Amino acid sequence: WYIGGLNTNEVFEGKITNAGYKKNAKATHIHKVGTGDWRLTNEKLTNVGNYYAEEGSLTIMSTVTTNQSVFVKEGASLKGNPIFTAAATVDVNGILEPGDSTLNNSIGTMEFQAADVNLNESSVLRIGLGQGRSDQLVYAGILTIDPGATIEFFVEENTVKAGDVFRVLVPYKDNDNAHVEGFECKIVCQDGLEIDYANLLNSPMYEDTPEGRALCGTITVISNTAQGIYGSEPAKVKEVTPANGEYVGTSGSIVLTYDKDVLRGTGDIT
C-alpha cells in the first residue's frame, strides 16, 4: 500500500491486515509518501510486512505485530506512540519523534520490543522533556548510533528545572544485556536548556550494579529557562466510590478514579 500521495493530512482508523488484497498475499507493506501526515490509529495492525516512512510523516498510535522491518528515509518522519512487538530491524535515516501533538500533551514512547535500532548518520531523534517525564525510545537489544546522528532535546511541557533526571534510551523490560553501539553523536538543545548527557550512551551490559544500569540512557538538566508549549493541568477526578452521602464502615474503602484523559496533573484532590 502507498498512502499519502495526495499530499494531505489524513487519519486512518481501519484495520491493516494481509487479507483481502491478494488471495495468497504473504506480505502487505506500508509506504508513506507525499508531504502530509498520515495517522494510523487502529488499536492493532496485524499485517505482515515492512513499514516505510519515505516522505512527509507517518504517525502510528497502534500496536503493530509485523515481524519484518521499519525504515525511515532521510527527510521523512516516524511519529506517535507505536508499539512494534516483533519487528526485526529499525533502520533510521530520517526523524524519529515520539509522541502525538494532537493530544493535550505530546510526550510519548516509541517502543520496539524485539528490534535492534540503527540511528544512521542523517538520523534525528527528537526528545521532548516535561514535568517529571520525557519522550522515550525503547529498544530490544542493540541500539547503534552513528557519530553523525543527532539527538535533539527541547522543553515540551512545563516545568523542567535544574536537577531533573530523564530516562530517554530504555532497554525493553530493562534488559541487562542491552547495548548501545556508539560512544558519541551530535547533541542539540533548545535555547535556554542545558543538560548533562554523560550517561546517555552508556550500555547496561557493561554496568555491574543495578544503580549503574539505572543511569544508562539518562540525562540530567543543568539549567533551563525555556518554556514548553504545554502547561501543567489541575488533577481531575472522574468518579468517586462510594457516592457522596453513602455510609462507609470502619473497614470500608474510598476509591478515587482519576481522569485518564489528563496525561499529567498537578495540584490537590479535595
Side-chain angles (χ1 to χ4, degrees):
W1 292 6
Y2 284 81
I3 58 177
L6 296 179
N7 301 318
T8 55
N9 298 327
E10 304 291 345
V11 178
F12 181 72
E13 300 177 354
K15 297 180 179 180
I16 300 179
T17 70
N18 280 20
Y21 174 54
K22 291 183 179 179
K23 183 177 180 181
N24 297 314
K26 295 182 179 180
T28 299
H29 304 298
I30 304 299
H31 298 258
K32 168 57 181 70
V33 297
T35 58
D37 175 67
W38 264 63
R39 292 169 45 82
L40 307 181
T41 61
N42 194 276
E43 183 178 358
K44 180 176 287 187
L45 305 178
T46 61
N47 62 301
V48 177
N50 296 327
Y51 278 74
Y52 299 88
E54 299 181 9
E55 297 173 322
S57 59
L58 175 62
T59 300
I60 302 178
M61 305 297 294
S62 314
T63 296
V64 187
T65 61
T66 183
N67 60 3
Q68 298 195 30
S69 297
V70 179
F71 299 94
V72 183
K73 292 192 174 182
E74 186 172 358
S77 300
L78 177 64
K79 301 180 178 180
N81 298 316
I83 301 174
F84 284 88
T85 61
T89 303
V90 179
D91 199 63
V92 183
N93 292 289
I95 300 171
L96 291 185
E97 191 166 349
D100 178 17
S101 60
T102 67
L103 299 176
N104 63 342
N105 186 311
S106 184
I107 289 175
T109 299
M110 198 167 282
E111 189 166 318
F112 303 99
Q113 296 181 351
D116 294 334
V117 179
N118 301 316
L119 300 181
N120 299 320
E121 182 178 9
S122 59
S123 67
V124 178
L125 173 61
R126 302 197 73 234
I127 298 295
L129 308 180
Q131 185 186 11
R133 62 189 189 143
S134 71
D135 291 334
Q136 293 184 327
L137 174 64
V138 177
Y139 63 100
I142 300 176
L143 172 61
T144 301
I145 303 179
D146 188 276
T150 301
I151 304 180
E152 295 182 359
F153 293 94
F154 61 98
V155 177
E156 193 156 29
E157 176 193 54
N158 299 326
T159 300
V160 174
K161 61 186 184 303
D164 286 348
V165 178
F166 297 100
R167 199 174 186 206
V168 175
L169 306 177
V170 182
Y172 179 57
K173 290 188 174 180
D174 287 326
N175 177 12
D176 290 346
N177 294 315
H179 176 51
V180 177
E181 183 69 38
F183 300 101
E184 62 178 347
C185 66
K186 300 174 184 177
I187 303 295
V188 177
C189 290
Q190 177 184 6
D191 288 346
L193 174 66
E194 183 181 3
I195 64 171
D196 178 351
Y197 53 89
N199 295 311
L200 181 61
L201 303 184
N202 288 354
S203 292
M205 69 180 298
Y206 295 131
E207 297 293 336
D208 296 328
T209 66
E211 294 78 12
R213 288 190 289 271
L215 287 174
C216 293
T218 64
I219 64 164
T220 301
V221 176
I222 297 174
S223 63
N224 176 54
T225 57
Q227 295 293 306
I229 61 174
Y230 300 100
S232 59
E233 297 187 20
K236 299 178 182 178
V237 175
K238 180 184 292 185
E239 179 183 355
V240 178
T241 304
N244 185 31
E246 290 188 1
Y247 173 76
V248 179
T250 57
S251 61
S253 63
I254 297 176
V255 179
L256 300 178
T257 302
Y258 293 89
D259 190 339
K260 295 180 180 179
D261 293 332
V262 178
L263 299 187
R264 183 70 181 174
T266 60
D268 298 327
I269 300 286
T270 301

